[in-house]
Amino acid sequence: MSTLPPVDHTVNVPLPPADAFALFTQEMPKWWPLSTHSCGGDDANGVTFEPRVGGRVMEQTRTGRQHPWGTLLEWDPPRVLAMRWHPGQPEEQATLLRVTFTARDRSTDVRIVHEGWEVRGESAAAVRQEYEKGWPLVMGQFAGVAAG
């Protein structure tokens, strides 16, 4: 199978990098569309980051279930986080997700680069296409909340 290109999406938000990083990692329920983009659906009510390399990213539901979303490979607030990403999938099907926070005058560019699709086998192209559509929606939500 040929190598599929990464999904690469950037939004600009009117926050300094530290505030954008905190919103992204500590306040995800405020902006992530959990009812449609989660393992628990309407029962999902939170996502937590264990703030360290090797830390887990976990979704929580109202009933107390936890669903792993990934494992942090890089944690450098407020500049970057990277993880093995596998919400709802076995860990061996994890793709790679990197999020950078770059200061611009009075704002921050938040860039998502999502790659490593080949681990998904025959469904790699279809999975990549779903994320190609999904990341702009999700990051649009983030930008909207960041703008107040």
Side-chain angles (χ1 to χ4, degrees), residues 25-96:
T25 60
Q26 297 170 24
E27 301 180 68
M28 206 174 231
K30 287 184 177 179
W31 60 271
W32 189 275
L34 286 168
S35 64
T36 58
H37 290 71
S38 66
C39 299
D42 287 335
D43 194 38
N45 71 343
V47 177
T48 56
F49 286 71
E50 293 177 344
R52 60 180 168 75
V53 172
R56 298 175 305 158
V57 178
M58 301 291 288
E59 173 189 322
Q60 294 80 38
T61 67
R62 287 171 182 67
T63 58
R65 286 197 65 194
Q66 292 202 354
H67 300 279
W69 279 18
T71 304
L72 292 165
L73 301 171
E74 192 174 355
W75 182 262
D76 185 13
R79 296 180 338 94
V80 65
L81 68 90
M83 68 170 69
R84 291 178 45 77
W85 175 261
H86 60 90
Q89 300 298 319
E91 191 170 355
E92 56 272 9
Q93 291 191 14
T95 52
L96 301 174

Side-chain angles (χ1 to χ4, degrees), residues 8 15 27 39 68 94-95 111 114 118 133 135 141 146:
D8 190 335
L15 298 172
E27 301 180 68
C39 299
T95 52
R111 180 182 182 199
H114 193 170
E118 290 73 21
K133 291 185 284 187
W135 280 123
Q141 296 271 109

Side-chain angles (χ1 to χ4, degrees), residues 1 85-90 92-95 114 116-125 127-128 131:
M1 179 186 303
W85 175 261
H86 60 90
Q89 300 298 319
E92 56 272 9
Q93 291 191 14
T95 52
H114 193 170
W117 307 107
E118 290 73 21
V119 300
R120 299 304 289 277
E122 291 183 11
S123 66
V127 171
R128 186 201 173 280
Y131 277 100

